[in-house]
């Protein structure tokens, strides 16, 4: 038997697998991510099944050309606060800076502000201080820091995040602290000037903490997957990053894994839409737990700053908006109002129709209204052994719920579906209409296991005239893993007023960062590497930066003005512009691995 390719999206509810056999034919399989009665890991179980191996048997590495995977392991660990134990090392006097953050009040009238749980367990205040101009006000007390680090290590903490004030620019103290932590024996070290070399200590610190908190979890999962193969998987096992690019498993980091699965869906939606002649799309990915939406009009939209589960992350990632409305979203009626989500039935026990005693969910509403036909539901799905959907369980659940309405079962189910549709349509408006785009000019590219069931209703709600449902729509995130390029991104702070001299300096930094990114991609077996670079510009005195391609000063000012009007609805005038940061990305298709 010759080698196979596997493209996998390990989601919160389902694990989707697209396999390419030695003859180039594609095969698909959809498994529950959690099904402990049948297997320990859905991805490995699926690979074994395609290769004709027994569950749990070692997989010969020679039978595999590549495994390209997106995973929610890091995202779930962050949401559930189940990451590694972390000690934060920061400048003396700033131990609570990350907790205090920016004092934002998203809900102005809340009388009790509940702060998110911090990712660090312990704080070490290092006796050091470097001013913004680089003047060393207080040299690092190495002996005291070494004692404190040893104490944390003796307490069983293995991950260390180092975040000093102005450390993104003046890096000597952070580098020295890193060496001390290595000597003490920490197995995970995340240093802010390496993880996120940008201004703003809070977001830089949060990003560094996320990396320290999640990377060990990822490393254990990656090692577990690699250990299931009999042979060396170097160069064959790749993971999807939040920026939409693949990377070797050995380079996969926690800060780049938050949108690992959804990013593959964006790539798949864009690539397949382009084949169909659609250049402007709204991507609509409805899975079992949530719905992800994205906007594309010629180039991937990425954001540098985002917030996930109360944690600020500064790293390039796809601009994806998520709402808690999936096939497993719970249906509730409290006697006064109907509600869909945000809780989910998950993969185990799943919706009522899975036959495991689960609660009513959106999937049950689709079964009761006839949108999901049991006779076409694959028996090999593994929900109830060899049986299809349990329609009677779904109907019984709605019959009980309908007594509080005084209406027919199907009518109540339709009402819940209308609520779900409105929730998802509002998510699309957030990334399109609210940003100045006319959504009626776009194609609604629908994917995810539950997407096609709601596509037409959502298009009607938004006034969209075109829907695209690819034959691989149910597994498009996994399919996108196979279509994605290997990518490496770099970002670095500049914080200087745009001018001839600063533009020259920024260009020099882009050249250095570009060389580093290209080298990383080439080491992963890519022959021809492309490079895209940009400057993040903002109006002096403001916080929101817009990405503008590198060009001469006049061209960049004109492009910034156009982007500013589209985003905010007015012209910034002749106010000075600031180069906040430079970004560069190297990418290229992976070469075939020779056996």
């Amino acid at each position: 038997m010759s080698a196979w390719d596997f493209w996998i999206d390990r989601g919160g509810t389902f694990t989707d697998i697209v396999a390419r056999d030695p003859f180039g034919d594609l095969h698909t399989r959809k498994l529950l991510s959690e099904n402990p009665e049948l297997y320990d890991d859905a991805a490995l179980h699926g690979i074994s099944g395609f290769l004709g191996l027994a569950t749990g048997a070692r997989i010969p590495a020679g039978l595999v050309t590549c495994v390209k995977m997106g995973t929610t392991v890091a995202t779930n660990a962050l949401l559930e606060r189940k990451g590694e134990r972390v000690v934060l090392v920061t400048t003396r006097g700033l131990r609570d800076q990350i907790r205090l953050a920016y004092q934002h009040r998203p809900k102005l009238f809340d009388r009790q502000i509940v702060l998110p749980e911090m990712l660090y367990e312990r704080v070490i205040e290092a006796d050091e201080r470097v001013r913004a101009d680089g003047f060393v006000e207080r040299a690092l007390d190495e002996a005291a820091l070494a004692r404190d680090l040893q104490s944390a290590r003796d307490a069983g903490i293995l991950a260390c995040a180092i975040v000093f004030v102005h450390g993104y620019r003046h890096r000597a103290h952070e580098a020295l602290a890193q060496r001390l932590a290595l000597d003490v024996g920490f197995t995970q070290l995340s240093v802010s000037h390496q993880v996120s070399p940008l201004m703003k200590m809070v977001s830089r610190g949060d990003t560094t903490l996320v990396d320290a908190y999640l990377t060990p979890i990822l490393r254990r999962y990656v090692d577990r997957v690699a250990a299931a193969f009999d042979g060396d998987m170097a160069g064959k096992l790749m993971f999807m990053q939040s920026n939409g690019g693949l990377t070797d498993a050995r380079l996969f980091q926690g800060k780049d894994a938050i949108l690992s699965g959804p990013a593959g869906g964006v790539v798949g939606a864009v690539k397949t839409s382009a084949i169909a002649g659609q250049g402007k799309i709204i991507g609509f990915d409805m899975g079992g737990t949530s719905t992800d939406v994205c906007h594309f009009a010629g180039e991937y939209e990425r954001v540098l700053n985002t917030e996930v589960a109360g944690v600020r992350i500064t790293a390039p990632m796809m601009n994806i908006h998520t709402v808690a409305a999936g096939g497993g979203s719970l249906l509730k009626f409290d006697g006064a109002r109907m509600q869909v989500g945000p809780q989910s039935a998950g993969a185990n026990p799943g919706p009522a129709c899975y036959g495991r005693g689960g609660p009513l969910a959106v999937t049950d509403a689709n079964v009761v209204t006839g949108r999901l036909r049991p006779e076409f539901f694959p028996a090999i799905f593994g929900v109830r052994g060899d049986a299809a959907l349990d329609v009677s369980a779904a109907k019984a659940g709605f019959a009980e719920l309908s007594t509080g309405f005084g209406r027919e079962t199907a009518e109540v189910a339709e009402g819940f579906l209308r609520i779900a549709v409105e929730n998802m349509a509002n998510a699309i408006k957030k990334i399109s209409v609210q940003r100045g785009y006319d959504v009626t000019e776009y194609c609604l590219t629908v994917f995810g296991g539950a997407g096609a069931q709601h596509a037409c209703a959502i298009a009607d709600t938004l006034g969209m005239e075109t829907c695209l449902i690819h034959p691989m729509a149910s597994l498009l995130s996994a399919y996108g893993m196979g279509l994605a390029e290997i990518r490496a991104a770099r970002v670095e702070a500049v914080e200087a007023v745009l001018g001839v001299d600063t533009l020259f300096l920024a260009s020099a930094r882009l050249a250095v960062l570009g060389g580093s990114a290209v080298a990383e991609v080439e080491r992963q077996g890519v022959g021809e590497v492309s490079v895209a670079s940009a400057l993040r510009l903002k109006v002096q005195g403001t916080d929101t930066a817009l990405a503008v391609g590198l060009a001469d000063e006049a061209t960049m000012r004109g492009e910034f003005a156009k982007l500013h009007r589209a985003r905010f609805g007015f012209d910034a005038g002749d106010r000075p512009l600031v180069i906040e940061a430079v970004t560069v990305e190297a990418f290229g298709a992976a070469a075939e691995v020779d056996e």
Side-chain angles (χ1 to χ4, degrees):
M1 179 185 291
S2 299
W4 288 61
D5 294 339
F6 294 99
W7 311 330
I8 303 170
D9 175 29
R10 187 186 185 282
T13 305
F14 298 113
T15 291
D16 300 335
I17 304 174
V18 177
R20 184 169 62 185
D21 66 25
F23 304 102
D25 296 327
L26 296 180
H27 309 267
T28 63
R29 185 163 297 174
K30 184 181 284 285
L31 300 168
L32 287 171
S33 294
E34 296 180 25
N35 200 344
E37 298 94 338
L38 297 179
Y39 44 79
D40 293 327
D41 185 89
L44 295 174
H45 176 73
I47 292 174
S48 298
F50 281 114
L51 297 178
L53 303 173
T55 299
R58 298 268 290 171
I59 304 170
L63 298 182
V64 178
T65 302
C66 69
V67 177
K68 300 177 180 179
M69 186 184 300
T71 176
T72 59
V73 168
T75 311
N76 292 342
L78 182 61
L79 293 173
E80 299 171 11
R81 293 297 195 265
K82 293 182 178 179
E84 192 78 354
R85 297 173 64 193
V86 179
V87 59
L88 169 64
V89 180
T90 191
T91 303
R92 183 171 298 282
L94 299 176
R95 65 176 299 119
D96 294 319
Q97 186 63 59
I98 306 298
R99 175 175 290 279
L100 293 173
Y102 300 118
Q103 295 294 290
H104 287 170
R105 292 290 185 268
K107 297 180 180 179
L108 292 177
F109 299 104
D110 275 8
R111 298 173 65 184
Q112 181 181 3
I113 305 300
V114 180
L115 294 174
E117 182 183 351
M118 293 294 100
L119 301 184
Y120 53 83
E121 176 180 317
R122 180 185 295 198
V123 180
I124 295 175
E125 292 186 272
D127 192 11
E128 71 86 35
R129 187 74 180 215
V130 180
R131 295 179 183 174
D133 61 3
F135 177 76
V136 179
E137 183 176 296
R138 196 163 61 249
L140 177 65
D141 187 338
E142 298 181 46
L145 178 56
R147 287 194 301 270
D148 292 339
L149 286 169
Q150 185 65 60
S151 174
R153 182 64 187 84
D154 291 342
I157 300 176
L158 297 175
C160 176
I162 301 172
V163 185
F164 289 162
V165 65
H166 307 308
Y168 73 97
R169 189 185 297 272
H170 309 296
R171 306 174 175 182
H173 282 185
E174 286 196 346
L176 186 53
Q178 180 183 19
R179 181 178 63 78
L180 293 173
L182 279 172
D183 291 342
V184 166
F186 283 93
T187 58
Q188 171 61 39
L189 277 168
S190 297
V191 188
S192 78
H193 74 262
Q194 297 171 355
V195 173
S196 180
L198 296 168
M199 278 188 72
K200 299 182 180 179
M201 185 177 180
V202 172
S203 58
R204 174 165 54 93
D206 262 345
T207 307
T208 307
L209 282 164
V210 163
D211 193 67
Y213 188 73
L214 297 181
T215 298
I217 303 295
L218 278 177
R219 182 59 43 213
R220 285 194 283 272
Y221 181 72
V222 169
D223 291 345
R224 175 184 170 191
V225 172
F229 292 85
D230 187 9
D232 187 8
M233 287 296 290
K236 295 182 177 183
L237 181 59
M238 300 179 185
F239 281 83
M240 175 62 74
Q241 304 171 96
S242 298
N243 64 10
L246 294 164
T247 191
D248 189 276
R250 296 164 295 183
L251 302 175
F252 197 35
Q253 292 181 266
K255 71 180 180 65
D256 297 320
I258 303 300
L259 296 181
S260 176
V266 176
V267 174
V270 168
K271 298 282 189 181
T272 55
S273 297
I275 295 172
Q278 300 292 336
K280 296 172 67 176
I281 70 165
I282 298 294
F284 172 72
D285 176 11
M286 184 177 179
T289 306
S290 61
T291 292
D292 300 319
V293 295
C294 64
H295 169 267
F296 180 85
E299 61 182 25
Y300 291 117
E301 288 191 348
R302 295 188 177 90
V303 293
L304 189 61
N305 300 290
T306 190
E307 184 172 321
V308 179
V311 178
R312 291 154 294 271
I313 301 172
T314 303
M317 60 180 65
M318 291 287 193
N319 188 12
I320 300 172
H321 182 58
T322 303
V323 292
S329 293
L330 301 187
L331 310 182
K332 300 177 183 177
F333 177 62
D334 60 8
R337 65 168 183 159
M338 301 164 68
Q339 184 177 349
V340 178
Q343 295 82 11
S344 173
N348 190 11
C353 61
Y354 282 16
R356 295 183 174 191
L360 283 180
V362 171
T363 297
D364 297 304
N366 282 313
V367 169
V368 169
T369 57
R371 288 176 172 83
L372 192 58
R373 302 288 294 276
E375 62 266 33
F376 298 126
F377 208 83
I380 61 171
F381 186 68
V383 174
R384 302 176 63 237
D386 294 327
L389 294 179
D390 188 344
V391 181
S392 60
K395 289 184 175 180
F398 273 106
E400 181 180 351
L401 189 64
S402 300
T403 58
F405 289 90
R407 295 180 180 274
E408 295 295 327
T409 296
E411 191 177 358
V412 173
E414 286 283 2
F416 278 112
L417 290 177
R418 283 197 295 273
I419 294 171
V421 166
E422 286 294 334
N423 289 343
M424 293 181 285
N426 287 335
I428 292 175
K429 290 177 183 177
K430 190 175 182 67
I431 56 101
S432 57
V433 177
Q434 293 182 21
R435 297 174 58 215
Y437 300 110
D438 184 357
V439 73
T440 62
E441 299 175 355
Y442 286 72
C443 167
L444 184 65
T445 299
V446 182
F447 55 109
Q453 300 163 25
H454 305 272
C456 293
I458 290 171
D460 287 343
T461 301
L462 295 169
M464 302 177 74
E465 297 182 353
T466 305
C467 286
L468 175 63
I469 305 176
H470 190 270
M472 288 276 188
S474 180
L475 304 99
L476 202 66
S477 289
Y479 191 55
M481 305 296 170
L483 301 177
E485 300 101 347
I486 292 177
R487 293 178 179 265
R490 299 288 188 273
V491 58
E492 186 173 281
V494 176
E495 290 297 331
V497 175
L498 178 65
V500 176
D501 293 339
T502 54
L503 190 55
F504 176 78
L505 292 174
S507 300
R509 292 309 304 161
L510 281 173
V512 174
L513 296 174
S516 172
V518 168
E520 180 178 316
V521 173
E522 287 178 340
R523 286 195 297 270
Q524 299 180 63
V526 177
E528 186 173 341
V529 182
S530 301
V531 178
S533 57
L535 274 63
R536 293 184 62 81
L537 302 180
K538 64 183 180 182
V539 177
Q540 191 172 40
T542 66
D543 284 333
T544 304
L546 303 174
V548 177
L550 180 64
D552 61 84
E553 184 179 349
T555 301
M556 294 180 69
R557 288 184 180 276
E559 181 65 18
F560 178 84
K562 183 172 68 174
L563 292 173
H564 195 279
R565 281 193 298 271
R567 175 68 64 87
F568 302 109
F570 66 94
D571 200 317
D574 296 327
R575 297 171 62 186
L577 301 182
V578 172
I579 306 175
E580 179 186 72
V582 291
T583 64
V584 64
E585 186 176 43
F587 56 93
E592 294 295 331
V593 178
D594 295 326
E595 292 297 323

